[in-house]
Amino acid sequence: MTIAAPVADFLVLPPRLDSTAELLAESARRRGLAVEHLPSPSVPAQLRQARGGHLYGGPNFAAAVASDLDLAMLEPADDWLVQLPYEYTRRDITLTTLAEARWLRTPTFVKPPRDKTLTAGVYADGSRLPRAERYHPDTPVLVSEIVTFLVEYRLFVLDATVHAASRYATNGRLDPAPLDAGPHRAAVLDFAASLLGACAASLPSAVVVDVGLASNADRGDEHWAVVEANMAWFSASYAANPDRVLDVVLRAAGPRDRLTPRDHAFTGPPALFG
């Protein structure tokens, strides 16, 4: 397969396309960007010489190609959720290692900060976590008290503003729908405005933040809370407007020479998960 060097900005996609990648490809072509669907996680010589690259794909793919494309990949910090004021999390959360989490002796929710290699969920105790030989003992994990999210929304954030959004789950089950189609639009945007007004400096300028209406059985109340933050270049769009999602993705994974000073703290070589 011969790939000619693009003469303008282009979007690189991984060998296996999900529905979000396909929607973003269509959106990119509509606005005149070349779309390069790579057959393997390696960059052809013509693309290495090009400028103006952007990326959508998983962490392993990004780790393999970002350097050759000279991309700056924006990522939230592993401890971002831990550092949030309690009013935005409404639960106790700790960042620790998988080795330390194995000592847990009570039911706890455990998840990786950003990647999806370790299955997130409620574990009866630390002995139920995946076998040690599958993961390095220093693998970071977030440990939190158990809450139930009644409904969850994905927010694509650009410059501290919700640029695109979608519901993605109801009662823990996948249930995508446009933000405007449900009854929580005003509540979601009000909560997001408060969160981003207080904490925008702790996030990249282009990022995904998931929020939800949570219920705590012990307290008997419902409240809006942050679920997590993720890399926009590795997040499903669900029912969000793909043209506006693409705006966020292009900023989140774009040419290093366009990186703004505020985003330097949120870049680095993408971690190789697996």
Side-chain angles (χ1 to χ4, degrees):
M1 176 180 176
T2 301
I3 298 178
V7 296
D9 280 14
F10 59 98
L11 177 66
V12 171
L13 300 176
R16 181 175 296 180
L17 301 182
D18 60 15
S19 59
T20 297
E22 292 172 347
L23 289 170
L24 294 179
E26 294 173 6
S27 178
R29 292 188 181 103
R30 283 196 298 270
R31 67 176 68 182
L33 274 67
V35 175
E36 306 293 349
H37 178 200
L38 299 188
S40 67
S42 61
V43 180
Q46 294 90 335
L47 288 187
R48 290 195 206 115
Q49 300 165 9
R51 293 293 178 266
H54 302 266
L55 176 148
Y56 178 83
N60 285 347
F61 177 70
V65 306
S67 178
D68 285 341
L69 292 168
D70 198 24
L71 301 182
M73 313 295 293
L74 303 187
E75 305 183 21
D78 282 350
D79 66 348
W80 180 74
L81 200 57
V82 176
Q83 298 300 325
L84 282 181
Y86 184 82
E87 65 184 288
Y88 297 118
T89 62
R90 302 297 291 267
R91 62 199 187 278
D92 295 326
I93 308 170
T94 303
L95 178 66
T96 185
T97 65
L98 188 57
E100 289 295 324
R102 294 190 189 283
W103 291 97
L104 294 169
R105 292 298 175 261
T106 57
T108 310
F109 182 81
V110 180
K111 70 175 294 295
R114 291 167 293 141
D115 75 279
K116 308 300 181 186
T117 53
L118 177 71
T119 301
V122 175
Y123 292 86
D125 59 58
S127 69
R128 306 298 180 90
L129 288 164
R131 292 176 299 175
E133 58 266 26
R134 291 185 58 196
Y135 300 96
H136 193 281
D138 290 335
T139 298
V141 292
L142 292 168
V143 174
S144 77
E145 64 178 296
I146 300 168
V147 298
T148 299
F149 282 99
L150 306 177
V151 61
E152 296 165 77
Y153 290 86
R154 171 150 295 173
L155 313 179
F156 285 83
V157 176
L158 188 64
D159 294 326
T161 300
V162 176
H163 197 69
S166 167
R167 186 182 74 206
Y168 65 90
T170 302
N171 294 320
R173 296 186 177 184
L174 191 64
D175 186 25
L179 176 64
D180 291 345
H184 298 117
R185 181 182 185 277
V188 168
L189 294 180
D190 285 348
F191 179 76
S194 175
L195 169 71
L196 297 172
C199 306
S202 64
L203 286 169
S205 67
V207 69
V208 160
V209 177
D210 293 342
V211 304
L213 182 61
S215 173
N216 188 307
D218 293 336
R219 302 188 184 112
D221 63 352
E222 296 180 1
H223 44 265
W224 289 95
V226 175
V227 178
E228 61 183 349
N230 285 299
M231 303 88 83
W233 46 268
F234 177 45
S235 293
S237 60
Y238 297 114
N241 182 315
D243 293 326
R244 295 182 69 81
V245 170
L246 181 62
D247 293 335
V248 183
V249 171
L250 294 179
R251 174 84 65 82
R256 187 167 294 275
D257 60 9
R258 300 182 196 173
L259 189 64
T260 61
R262 79 168 302 283
D263 279 330
H264 275 283
F266 304 103
T267 63
L272 184 59
F273 303 121

